[in-house]
Amino acid sequence: MGEKPEKFIVDGRRLDGRKMDDMRPVKFEVGTLKRADGSCYVEFGGNIVMAAVYGPREVHPRHLQEPMRAIVRYRYNMASFSVEDRKRPGPDRRSVEISKVSQEALESVVMSEQYPKSAIDIFVEVIQADAGSRVASLNAASVALADAGIPMRGLISACAVGKVDNMLVLDLGKEEDNYGQADMPMAIKPTTGEILLLQMDGKMTRAEFEKAVDMAFKAAAGVHEKQIAALKSYYENVEAEVSEDGSAGN
Ligand code: ADP
């Protein structure tokens, strides 16, 4: 792990040159995995994440089946080579917690009542982690669900807000996340303004918290635009391929 920096903000700029409310670059690619029903590759700052969706499909083990709805399962996994020091492979407390809260966020947008007795499985692999991997993963997962054609009440768009040197900053970088005063990942459904996930590590005053929520909403709106643009451009290309050769692109 790097050293704690003496100062996080110098002359109004953060360690990587960003202003307080700047996000790192974000890039979405839809339909990257051909064997999955839906998939999405995301670069979210230095995070590189692949999300794959399978389903609706039969539930195994069968006793998990729900008669009136589909079950939504979410597995967040960080590759052992995704961080500076090798991470021990397999689930740990952190990944189990992230999977649980992310699954709950996704369950609230997926129209699971349309697929009784089935399962919708979402796998997220963090190939490179750089602070904010849980929000990057949720952004990827919701695009992958859309790519799989799973009906949803809206996409999930997520970003973290934090506090360093007593200032609120959007989309924490690695040092800001590891050594800052607060880290607040938030996932939002921008179409209705619902908050689907909000976690807080550290401390903020009430006024800071309210401002941080505002910052997360603005960031989520920007992420949402990029998610929609990526889906549109992918499906426009697929349509063009279909009309050219008369068969489905894929
Ligand atoms: P998030 O990635 O959602 O911000 P955390 O705040 O728990 O989640 O982690 C912040 C960052 O710390 C991660 O993105 C990753 O770069 C690093 N990190 C997390 N877990 C480990 C680990 N087991 N080993 C090394 N680095 C880790």
Side-chain angles (χ1 to χ4, degrees), residues 1 47 76 78 82-88 92 94 98 129-135 160 174 177-178 183 185 201:
M1 208 192 277
N47 296 285
Y76 165 102
M78 230 166 58
S82 66
V83 286
E84 244 167 82
D85 310 314
R86 179 178 178 275
K87 184 206 161 277
R88 204 161 167 250
D92 51 18
R94 177 178 169 277
I98 292 176
D130 188 33
S133 65
R134 78 192 65 198
V135 288
K174 183 79 170 47
D177 187 310
N178 288 163
D183 171 16
D201 187 9

Side-chain angles (χ1 to χ4, degrees), residues 30 227-237:
V30 182
Q227 289 171 309
I228 300 279
L231 283 162
K232 273 193 181 157
S233 104
Y234 178 68
Y235 280 100
E236 271 162 15
N237 285 337

Side-chain angles (χ1 to χ4, degrees), residues 70-85:
I71 57 165
V72 177
R73 294 186 285 205
Y74 184 90
R75 195 196 68 180
Y76 165 102
N77 183 54
M78 230 166 58
S80 53
F81 53 81
S82 66
V83 286
E84 244 167 82
D85 310 314

Side-chain angles (χ1 to χ4, degrees), residues 106-195:
L106 286 156
E107 264 174 350
S108 62
V109 291
V110 170
M111 295 179 165
S112 52
E113 65 281 3
Q114 295 200 12
Y115 302 103
K117 299 182 184 169
S118 47
I120 295 164
D121 290 315
I122 308 155
F123 300 93
V124 176
E125 294 293 322
V126 178
I127 297 157
Q128 185 170 282
D130 188 33
S133 65
R134 78 192 65 198
V135 288
S137 301
L138 269 172
N139 289 328
S142 86
V143 172
L145 280 165
D147 180 37
I150 307 283
M152 285 187 284
R153 296 181 179 85
L155 287 174
I156 296 187
S157 309
C159 191
V161 183
K163 186 165 112 176
V164 294
D165 291 352
N166 292 319
M167 299 279 283
L168 292 179
V169 289
L170 184 64
D171 183 26
L172 297 170
K174 183 79 170 47
E175 282 80 16
E176 293 172 335
D177 187 310
N178 288 163
Y179 302 110
Q181 296 160 291
D183 171 16
M184 188 178 88
M186 247 177 94
I188 292 158
K189 176 145 76 84
T191 47
T192 57
E194 280 167 81
I195 297 174

